[in-house]
Amino acid sequence: MTVSSFIPPKRTLMGPGPSDVPERVLQALSRPTIGHLDPEFIRLMDETKFLLQQAFHTKNQLTIPVSAPGSAGMETCFANLLEPGDKAIVCQNGVFGMRMRENVERMGANAIMVEDEWGTAVDVEKVEQALKANPDAKLLAFVHAETSTGVESDVKALCALAHQYDCLSLVDAVTSVGGIALKVDEWGVDAVYTGTQKCLSSTPGISPVSFSDAAVEVIKNRHTKVQSWFLDLNLVMGYWGEGAKRAYHHTAPINPLYGLHEALLSLHEEGNENAWQRHRHHHNGLKAGLEAMGLEFAVQESIRLPQLNAVSIPDGIDDAQVRGRLLNDYSLELGAGLGKFAGNLWRIGLMGASACEENVSLCVTALDEVLSDMGAAIEKGAGPAAVLKHYA
Ligand SMILES: *Cc1c(COP(=O)(O)O)cnc(C)c1O
């Protein structure tokens, strides 16, 4: 085998994550590595916690980045909040709700499932019935932005219900933070996790989490040890806790945290509301282009995520062939359908730095060219024209 330094191709990332990583974040990643207990690194940790609190709209003290990807943030929440024999209500309307169920069961707890069709939102009434029928449930878990289908569920209503029935709320916000409104304190979210490679536009591998005082009480008063040593927040708090008395738990991913810090700083400078508006604006540009071309969204407008666009593939068009040509000829990555939606739709991400005019133009122009070349029944030229008009 001949081996050499790896130089990745330059891509435009418009799938379900990772999203495009801006130059300033890439530069931050390449700064010199320092010790993970260096006072300067601790300063970076404190700033990162502050910036995460801003991104989550929370004052929660226990707001930290878990040193592993979004799925580990999910596992951190379930592992710390549940004990064997506990009952959790889990809402499933796509891939990630299924993963939540796996977590609950592997903790030795019971998952009461509330299932909704893929492509629809979590049904608040069904959740209320489940809460009524299970007064001993400890936790209500659901996904805010279902990346597998492009659907938003109502965090505010679901968390209010959880509290009404004396339950903790656990929200998957991997694809929502930075892209659409999420207000952890105001909406009564008790536990939440996100990812770095979606609307925050940093590199994958870190999962910010945040816990309310009520959730922290539950974690501190467990009867059994958290089954994962690495994810046990009672131990991690010793490292990410207050002030100078921090003790070694594991070696933090130092450079990836430089990257996250820079990405969060960029969001802080832009402002959360402005970032949400930017995602909406470019979603509208993409929508104008795709609909003018004759393509259709797979999800009803009122629950559509601006940052993850599920678009039906025209009849007779081969999914893999289109995505292959986009990648080879335009260096553009779109997402394939997952699970039940495989082969039926594309998932077009407008996450973080990928939510920009350049990407919308490239995507609509490339689809216009490739689809008409393959003989799809589209309105040739109408898509790019609609995009120009949107941005005029
Ligand atoms: C991407 C994603 C995850 C998993 O994150 P990883 O970083 O891939 O582990 C979990 N939930 C949702 C909604 C996601 O989009």
Side-chain angles (χ1 to χ4, degrees):
M1 188 191 279
T2 43
V3 291
S4 59
S5 297
F6 179 67
I7 311 291
K10 178 110 188 62
R11 303 284 196 214
T12 299
L13 300 178
M14 298 183 73
S19 54
D20 288 339
V21 179
E23 195 53 39
R24 67 183 278 189
V25 174
L26 292 175
Q27 274 175 16
L29 285 162
S30 67
R31 288 175 193 145
T33 304
I34 60 176
H36 71 118
L37 292 170
D38 187 307
E40 278 301 294
F41 189 69
I42 291 186
R43 187 167 67 80
L44 171 108
M45 289 166 75
D46 287 338
E47 285 194 17
T48 302
K49 279 172 70 169
F50 166 77
L51 290 167
L52 283 177
Q53 287 169 332
Q54 306 293 307
F56 278 127
H57 277 260
T58 184
K59 293 195 168 68
N60 287 341
Q61 279 304 310
L62 184 52
T63 301
I64 62 170
V66 173
S67 304
S71 304
M74 180 189 290
E75 197 148 339
T76 299
C77 292
F78 285 108
N80 282 274
L81 293 173
L82 291 179
E83 300 196 47
D86 281 346
K87 201 186 248 190
I89 296 175
V90 175
C91 306
Q92 188 205 313
N93 61 338
V95 165
F96 293 101
M98 268 158 70
R99 196 173 291 186
M100 285 180 152
R101 174 191 199 150
E102 278 289 318
N103 269 270
V104 170
E105 290 174 351
R106 283 164 197 240
M107 303 306 155
N110 301 316
I112 308 296
M113 299 304 294
V114 175
E115 296 184 28
D116 283 293
E117 280 301 313
W118 284 46
T120 66
V122 171
D123 184 328
V124 177
E125 271 173 34
K126 284 206 303 217
V127 170
E128 177 152 28
Q129 282 161 19
L131 284 161
K132 262 190 196 146
N134 297 279
D136 52 340
K138 186 181 193 181
L139 192 68
L140 170 69
F142 61 92
V143 179
H144 183 193
E146 232 322 329
T147 322
S148 61
T149 61
V151 165
E152 173 171 15
S153 288
D154 189 343
V155 175
K156 212 168 159 178
L158 291 167
C159 288
L161 262 187
H163 290 176
Q164 192 185 325
Y165 289 88
D166 235 359
C167 235
L168 293 172
S169 58
L170 196 182
V171 180
D172 177 320
V174 175
T175 288
S176 56
V177 172
I180 50 174
L182 174 67
K183 299 184 174 178
V184 166
D185 288 357
E186 202 180 308
W187 296 354
V189 178
D190 288 302
V192 59
Y193 56 94
T194 188
T196 44
Q197 77 275 27
K198 313 242 172 154
C199 296
L200 294 176
S201 272
S202 188
T203 50
I206 295 182
S207 178
V209 296
S210 184
F211 294 86
S212 70
D213 291 346
V216 171
E217 277 308 296
V218 167
I219 296 169
K220 286 188 169 160
N221 293 304
R222 292 175 59 97
H223 305 293
T224 58
K225 279 188 178 178
V226 174
Q227 44 92 304
S228 160
W229 177 87
F230 183 68
L231 300 177
D232 185 346
L233 289 169
N234 289 300
L235 306 177
V236 177
M237 279 186 251
Y239 180 51
W240 275 94
E242 296 307 298
K245 58 180 191 307
R246 281 176 209 191
Y248 168 70
H249 175 260
H250 66 277
T251 310
I254 297 174
N255 293 56
L257 285 171
Y258 297 168
L260 174 61
H261 178 274
E262 194 67 26
L264 290 168
L265 183 60
S266 163
L267 176 63
H268 185 61
E269 287 163 2
E270 181 178 17
N272 291 339
E273 277 80 5
N274 291 336
W276 303 336
Q277 254 179 35
R278 173 170 53 82
H279 283 83
R280 177 65 56 188
H281 178 60
H282 296 297
H283 161 79
N284 287 337
L286 182 72
K287 174 173 178 279
L290 296 179
E291 288 183 345
M293 200 185 288
L295 297 181
E296 283 171 10
F297 279 76
V299 166
Q300 195 192 310
E301 188 151 17
S302 60
I303 52 169
R304 227 175 255 171
L305 292 171
Q307 69 273 42
L308 196 286
N309 298 271
V311 177
S312 302
I313 298 175
D315 286 339
I317 294 298
D318 183 69
D319 168 35
Q321 219 179 332
V322 174
R323 283 184 300 105
R325 280 188 58 179
L326 294 175
L327 193 67
N328 291 327
D329 301 349
Y330 300 86
S331 216
L332 169 63
E333 178 180 286
L334 300 191
L338 271 187
K340 296 178 194 178
F341 286 163
N344 300 328
L345 53 78
W346 292 306
R347 290 180 303 149
I348 306 181
L350 288 171
M351 298 184 183
S354 294
C356 64
E357 179 178 346
E358 234 183 346
N359 284 21
V360 169
S361 285
L362 172 66
C363 176
V364 172
T365 305
L367 277 174
D368 180 65
E369 289 171 4
V370 170
L371 288 177
S372 58
D373 197 48
M374 287 171 71
I378 62 156
E379 194 75 31
K380 170 96 179 114
V387 170
L388 276 179
K389 189 164 163 238
H390 173 80
Y391 289 109

